[in-house]
Amino acid sequence: MTELATMDFHPQPQAGEPKPWAFPAPERGSLDNGLTVLRCHRPGQQVVAVEVLLDAPLDAEPAGLDGVATIMARAFSEGTDKHSAEEFAAELERCGATLDAVADHPGVRLSLEVPASRLAKALGLLADALRAPAFADGEVERLVRNRLDEIPHELANPARRAAKELSKELFPADSRMSRPRQGTEETVANIDSAAVRTFYEKHVRPATATAVVVGDLTGLDLDALLGDTLGAWTGSAAEPRPVPPVIADDRGRVVIVDRPGAVQTQLLIGRTGPDRHDRVWPAQVLGTYCLGGTLTSRLDRVLREEKGYTYGVRAFGQVLRSAPDGTGAAMLAISGSVDTPNTGPALEDLWTVLRTLAEGGLTDAERDVAVQNLVGVAPLKYETAAAVAGTLADQVEQHLPDDYQAALYRQLAATGTVEATAAVVSAFPVDRLVTVLVGDAAQIKAPVEALGIGEVTVVAAE
């Protein structure tokens, strides 16, 4: 006791003054081969993130070859003119690097993460993959088989099946957006190495690509590194490619994808709306968050906490394709799952929430919580170089200015309750929503028809 009594206890540290924060501003430049480069020095971020965006959108895929962009994206890491697929993977591993690639409506994106000390080697591998991919017959055939194996599993997943049906319902049959992003069994089966290489040669070139580099660049001559690696990638210039407008049919209706015996019903309710170029976007983000962005949102409060229908329901806006000329669009949707017997009551309560929102509006308290959650946590959200690089790449992909994200946070903080209410009511009008239900039609069709939220159609689950 005497020893404890004489110990020198220091006072508990107190929190300091918060430092001002803004989303990092990149430096923009270009290489001699036409490649656009955005760089962002982030002291302390010893894992560097690199994003390369290729102007190879899904609507550029040839007829009958839906999925060729996905196979090409996956094939970039399956060997080059210098390394076989196994050697390329081993070289990445020696660098401590990861390389991923994905194809989506705006284009193909490659994502590299590597310790700053190994950046030069990893950039060389990335450049080889872009400059001279092998696209070996055997590797492409394996990727096609893998993709064909994935499709039945995706169709068996209620959420994925609902998303496929919603796209089919919303967009015209001749629109690429109406069909699965990674292709169907019929179209993927048509893909071979020749098709992949033809798509690559037509759409992949440095003049139409952008590289984003984020991390601690201290002591690195990034200009020299990029010049020696991605700068060696050559290709011709390209003519501007016409981008078709996004056309959607959001007449209120219900489609039930029949899953006999299903104990739950997957809900996906959606329509298209403005993209990030529209001045309503900040208010729409705020209002949508209040509706269904978190556990304290209105939808969760009613359907989860009060009624116990679900583990959670979310409302969100996801950009499909963005363009400053107004031809872009975002998907505005509400998703979740409920137990089969309560499908009708859950939908009725969901529509009541939407109607109440239109009649009474959001509260200032809801608005304040949303701002705090969306703006206040931003410094934590962007702690990693990969998070910053991903957002900068999104801005490039969506033809937004480099300071867009920083401006968005200021706009969110300045958006009032009335504006947020108007935006979310406009985003989710009760009579202009396409509802997809994946569940047991025999049990849910009649209760849903009784709600009067639109004509009900039943389709097979496949």
Side-chain angles (χ1 to χ4, degrees):
M1 292 295 291
T2 303
E3 183 180 351
L4 287 174
T6 59
M7 290 181 67
D8 182 16
F9 289 98
H10 295 285
Q12 182 177 352
Q14 300 299 309
E17 290 294 322
K19 297 179 181 179
W21 181 90
F23 184 80
E27 298 178 24
R28 179 177 283 265
S30 62
L31 303 183
D32 291 341
N33 60 0
L35 178 71
T36 300
V37 177
L38 273 68
R39 70 186 74 192
C40 188
H41 176 50
R42 302 289 290 160
Q45 296 294 340
Q46 293 300 322
V47 176
V48 177
V50 181
E51 299 268 345
V52 177
L53 295 89
L54 306 176
D55 186 23
L58 298 189
D59 60 33
E61 292 179 320
L65 290 176
D66 289 359
V68 69
T70 292
I71 299 299
M72 180 189 74
R74 296 181 180 185
F76 276 128
S77 58
E78 300 298 334
T80 67
D81 62 342
K82 297 179 181 179
H83 300 291
S84 67
E86 293 80 6
E87 291 168 345
F88 189 84
E91 290 297 317
L92 279 175
E93 188 173 348
R94 290 190 186 98
C95 294
T98 60
L99 178 62
D100 297 304
V102 64
D104 208 336
H105 289 296
V108 172
R109 187 187 296 194
L110 287 79
S111 303
L112 172 74
E113 286 189 81
V114 62
S117 59
R118 313 279 178 82
L119 180 60
K121 177 65 174 177
L123 281 176
L125 292 170
L126 175 62
D128 288 343
L130 290 166
R131 176 188 58 80
F135 297 146
D137 291 348
E139 297 298 340
V140 171
E141 289 170 4
R142 178 179 59 81
L143 292 173
V144 167
R145 289 195 302 271
N146 289 348
R147 178 67 199 128
L148 290 173
D149 289 341
E150 293 170 357
I151 293 174
H153 294 283
E154 292 171 359
L155 293 176
N157 181 293
R160 299 290 292 269
R161 184 62 183 85
K164 176 185 176 184
E165 196 65 31
L166 182 60
S167 295
K168 181 180 177 182
E169 279 292 320
L170 276 175
F171 304 110
D174 60 353
S175 167
R176 183 61 182 86
M177 286 190 179
S178 71
R179 305 189 297 276
R181 285 175 169 83
Q182 300 181 71
T184 64
E185 289 181 330
E186 293 76 17
T187 62
V188 172
N190 294 331
I191 298 170
D192 57 17
S193 59
V196 172
R197 180 160 295 282
T198 298
F199 189 75
Y200 165 84
E201 291 174 348
K202 187 172 183 179
H203 299 289
V204 178
R205 52 180 58 84
T208 57
T210 299
V212 179
V213 184
V214 179
D216 193 330
L217 306 178
T218 303
L220 296 175
D221 186 345
L222 189 60
D223 288 328
L225 289 179
L226 291 173
D228 292 341
T229 55
L230 292 174
W233 174 25
T234 60
S236 62
E239 294 295 324
R241 188 181 49 80
V243 179
V246 178
I247 300 172
D249 176 8
D250 63 356
R251 289 174 296 116
R253 58 198 186 277
V254 180
V255 177
I256 298 176
V257 180
D258 190 18
R259 287 275 173 88
V263 298
Q264 286 189 325
T265 301
Q266 182 70 38
L267 317 175
L268 184 57
I269 303 163
R271 63 190 297 267
T272 59
D275 68 2
R276 288 185 170 131
H277 287 276
D278 196 298
R279 62 183 181 181
V280 78
W281 182 264
Q284 183 174 277
V285 168
L286 200 60
T288 301
Y289 191 89
C290 292
L291 174 64
T294 182
L295 290 175
T296 59
S297 67
R298 286 206 179 187
L299 288 174
D300 254 26
R301 191 163 63 243
V302 174
L303 274 67
R304 183 178 68 91
E305 294 183 16
E306 295 179 10
K307 300 299 180 71
Y309 295 146
T310 178
Y311 290 114
V313 176
R314 291 292 172 266
F316 59 91
Q318 178 183 1
V319 174
L320 296 169
R321 190 177 65 223
S322 191
D325 62 359
T327 59
M331 176 74 77
L332 306 173
I334 297 169
S335 67
S337 59
V338 300
D339 60 316
T340 298
N342 285 311
T343 300
L347 282 175
E348 182 177 19
D349 286 337
L350 193 155
W351 252 254
T352 299
V353 169
L354 296 178
R355 293 189 182 101
T356 302
L357 189 61
E359 294 164 1
L362 298 168
T363 66
D364 291 339
E366 287 176 308
R367 177 264 175 201
D368 292 345
V369 168
V371 169
Q372 181 180 358
N373 289 348
L374 289 169
V375 180
V377 303
L380 296 176
K381 181 179 179 182
Y382 292 109
E383 279 190 319
T384 66
V388 175
T391 296
L392 289 174
D394 288 343
Q395 291 180 174
V396 171
E397 200 170 64
Q398 296 169 23
H399 308 284
L400 297 165
D402 293 341
D403 64 348
Y404 175 82
Q405 194 66 29
L408 176 62
Y409 284 124
R410 293 193 298 270
Q411 292 167 339
L412 287 171
T415 299
T417 307
V418 172
E419 292 86 353
T421 297
V424 70
V425 169
S426 178
F428 296 97
V430 293
D431 60 341
R432 303 293 297 183
L433 295 171
V434 178
T435 301
V436 174
L437 307 174
V438 180
D440 189 339
Q443 295 190 58
I444 66 178
K445 184 173 184 286
V448 171
E449 284 179 326
L451 299 177
I453 59 175
E455 180 183 357
V456 179
T457 304
V458 178
V459 299
E462 297 177 5

